[in-house]
Amino acid sequence: MSYDTDNIFAKILRGEIPCHKVYEDDDAIVFMDVMPQAPGHALVVPKAASRNIFDADPTTLAALAPLVQKIARAAVAAFEADGVTILQFNEPAGGQTVFHLHIHVIPRHDDSPLRSHSGKMEDPEVLAANADKLRQAIHA
Ligand code: 5GP
């Protein structure tokens, strides 16, 4: 399986389509998932092109972990979460639907089940408000 440069996250990285961005550095971007499995669901996306964990450079993978930790901590603060679920899918059989490596960071609350993966599109105003909350917590 090869990397398709026209996948939706590659287009977001090139600025060709919009996203609710919460963080960016030289190596990665973080934005809100448009079909959140819980309020505040964010995606950590390395800029380096890889389809998923199988073809990713190990240095890309290593650099992701501290950023995922930063976003997870910010998510707890921003959404008063009781926990955070980290997800990462590989190939269709593994549940992957967008073929540019990314990690899901999903704030969780006690007794609140996850909504379905790639389920319902969220209202853009809600996504913008949640992006603001997460951005503020990242920079607090
Ligand atoms: P995967 O199944 O590949 O792990 O996850 C892809 C995620 O991207 C899904 O959770 C889906 O809701 C989200 N998604 C799909 N299209 C878009 C989009 O155009 N913009 C954003 N921000 N998220 C998207």
Side-chain angles (χ1 to χ4, degrees), residues 8-9 31-35 89 95 97-98 102 104 117-118:
I8 200 97
F9 292 172
F31 51 83
M32 307 313 290
D33 194 306
V34 287
M35 291 173 267
F89 302 87
T97 58
V98 176
H102 56 279
H104 300 254
H117 184 54
S118 295

Side-chain angles (χ1 to χ4, degrees), residues 50-119:
S50 67
R51 184 176 162 91
N52 52 39
I53 201 162
F54 298 122
D55 60 336
D57 190 305
T59 58
T60 299
L61 295 175
L64 271 178
L67 179 55
V68 169
Q69 181 188 48
K70 181 198 280 273
I71 302 305
R73 286 175 169 166
V76 168
F79 303 104
E80 299 178 337
D82 301 308
V84 169
T85 296
I86 309 289
L87 293 171
Q88 195 272 315
F89 302 87
N90 300 282
E91 298 300 327
Q96 186 176 11
T97 58
V98 176
F99 298 95
H100 179 111
L101 177 68
H102 56 279
I103 296 182
H104 300 254
V105 179
I106 310 174
R108 303 297 305 277
H109 292 89
D110 291 336
D111 305 320
S112 184
L114 268 190
R115 299 199 286 255
S116 63
H117 184 54
S118 295

